[in-house]
Amino acid sequence: MAKSSKRSFQTLRGMRDILPVDWPYYEFIEGASKRISGDYGYSRIGTPILEDAGLFSRSAGQSEMVIKEMYVFDDRGGDSVAIRPELTAPVARAYVEHGFSNMPQPIKLWYFDTGMRYERPQAGRYRQFYQVGFEIFGEASPVADTELIVMGYRLLTDLGLPIRISINSLGDTESRAAYKKALNAYLKPLLKQLPPDDLARFERNSLRILDSKEKVTQTLLEDAPKIIDYLSPASREHFLKVVDYLDDLELPYVIDSRLVRGLDYYTGIVFEYYSDDTEITLPDGKKKEIQTAHLALGGGGRYDNLIEEVGGKATPAVGSGFGVERIIVQLKDRQIEIPSVPAPEVFVGQIGDEARKKAFVLFEDLRSRGVRVSHAFTKEGIKAQLEAANRLGVRFAIILGQKELLDKTILIRDMENGIQETVDYKKAVPEVLKRLQRASKPAKPLTK
Ligand code: AMP
């Protein structure tokens, strides 16, 4: 007889389950994003996980993300589809598809969604990740760029992270063409010294060489021309205005002439957020290195051509995106406490099957009145139940035993002092509510 072979399954490489211990972190970040979005007047948008693959090759062009990292396949109907590797192009597509351009501008949107990239997994880099992001469509003013830079800073610092902002401008098409010419001239005699990967990047888009992590390349670039010196008057003025706003708002930023960001669709200002320190001092005085400090927590920039690229009419746009997992890694590294779900106040315990039925009814009654109530109906022994109540830290435990069942009463136990009182079953709910109210009031000060 053939042996039945059982197979066990595991998450795919670079994919993670979000376990119960991690959800509070996601909710903390989503909650903060929601609050910030409300403060600055952004509306939430959701887009599908699958899009026409062309959307990304149109918008992000020759970027590594599209060429090497996108999950792209033919669906059962033969259409070439992609799992979104980023969220901006889908939101831009939605802006065009739903006629947002006919509404009063600007349109300010935010999202909290998942995307996928076939990247080499490491701390803070996964193949499926969540991003929170903000987009402004239909506004060319530098004050829009500034608002986004400020919002991201507020989001991250509200979460408890110390932040440094890097900014740069890639300028308009004219500026970039002038700069590329100068950069190419500078690099031409040095190309032989570039590592093969960087040479390939250079050939795809010479600007991408600027943020190379290779030491050789970084050294070669030390005396390279800076894009800031090649900005057209309009791009230069735009950049200076943003800088001026940031100065007035006293935001900590540095101008980083090598900042180009991964995607090809930027047309002006670009920015990124990094942790402001690389190690922290733990409560016991020990130093701990932040391992992901070199990875950007988020970033963004202006992409005035994007809406046109995805089929709309020319519309200025600027946006930002943040890696939720990267933020979580840092929150954990820094041992930042996050708000937890409020503990239950009341526990309902029972002895025996009949009592369990009544206890369940009581549980439902209290729950529907907004009491944070808990139970351990699957447990039989009252000792185990009271231990559970203790662990939960409830103030009162209600117990329904055989005797209470016969007498039509309940037992209310004050878990702080162990005092138990018998109360009529019918009065159980008002009595619990009254005691909870009394317990939440501060003790009356003694008067002379
Ligand atoms: P990008 O769309 O590349 O500008 O990414 C925006 C932010 O998303 C980055 O700054 C990261 O914080 C985060 N991010 C990008 N790729 C990943 C990834 N593979 N895993 C986790 N976070 C990511």
Side-chain angles (χ1 to χ4, degrees), residues 148-339:
L148 280 167
I149 298 173
V150 175
M151 277 178 75
Y153 179 75
R154 298 279 178 248
L155 172 66
L156 296 170
T157 51
D158 280 3
L159 293 169
L161 301 175
I163 293 300
R164 164 175 68 82
I165 309 168
S166 295
I167 62 170
N168 192 21
S169 174
L170 302 180
D172 47 25
T173 319
E174 178 195 327
S175 317
R176 216 148 355 146
Y179 177 65
K180 273 190 179 171
K181 220 165 147 188
L183 183 67
N184 292 359
Y186 170 84
L187 282 171
K188 209 165 176 195
L190 308 171
L191 289 181
K192 279 200 203 84
Q193 297 175 54
L194 286 179
D197 273 3
D198 277 351
L199 186 62
R201 292 170 92 195
F202 174 81
E203 276 160 4
R204 267 206 299 274
N205 174 359
S206 52
L207 290 189
R208 288 306 316 274
I209 197 102
L210 292 175
D211 65 356
S212 163
K213 301 286 174 284
E214 300 277 355
K215 274 262 155 354
V216 197
T217 312
Q218 285 179 358
T219 314
L220 290 176
L221 285 169
E222 262 160 26
D223 297 319
K226 293 189 163 66
I227 195 158
I228 297 286
D229 299 325
Y230 292 82
L231 294 182
S232 66
S235 290
R236 190 175 175 77
E237 197 190 325
H238 189 101
F239 184 62
L240 291 178
K241 278 194 175 147
V242 174
V243 168
D244 203 30
Y245 277 123
L246 294 179
D247 285 336
D248 281 350
L249 291 159
E250 295 179 8
L251 241 63
Y253 68 88
V254 289
I255 296 175
D256 176 357
S257 58
R258 300 257 184 94
L259 179 64
V260 289
R261 312 234 335 110
L263 310 179
D264 288 351
Y265 53 50
Y266 293 102
T267 53
I269 212 145
V270 284
F271 49 92
E272 267 178 357
Y273 302 85
Y274 288 90
S275 164
D276 197 25
D277 45 18
T278 51
E279 65 172 23
I280 50 158
T281 310
L282 296 174
D284 61 7
K286 280 199 189 118
K287 301 260 189 226
K288 186 176 158 201
E289 202 187 324
I290 307 276
Q291 284 185 358
T292 55
H294 64 288
L295 292 173
L297 289 158
R302 185 164 271 285
Y303 17 77
D304 288 344
N305 299 333
L306 179 64
I307 293 287
E308 242 180 324
E309 290 287 352
V310 302
K313 60 180 190 202
T315 307
V318 53
S320 62
F322 299 81
V324 173
E325 285 78 9
R326 291 216 185 148
I327 297 174
I328 294 177
V329 169
Q330 291 234 359
L331 292 174
K332 286 185 176 174
D333 262 1
R334 292 171 188 279
Q335 303 185 359
I336 291 174
E337 272 198 39
I338 58 159

Side-chain angles (χ1 to χ4, degrees), residues 116-136:
M116 291 178 85
R117 289 182 198 169
Y118 195 78
E119 289 202 78
R120 196 166 57 80
Q122 51 180 282
R125 187 165 285 150
Y126 311 106
R127 288 187 173 168
Q128 181 176 2
F129 51 83
Y130 276 79
Q131 280 190 353
V132 48
F134 310 97
E135 312 281 353
I136 304 181

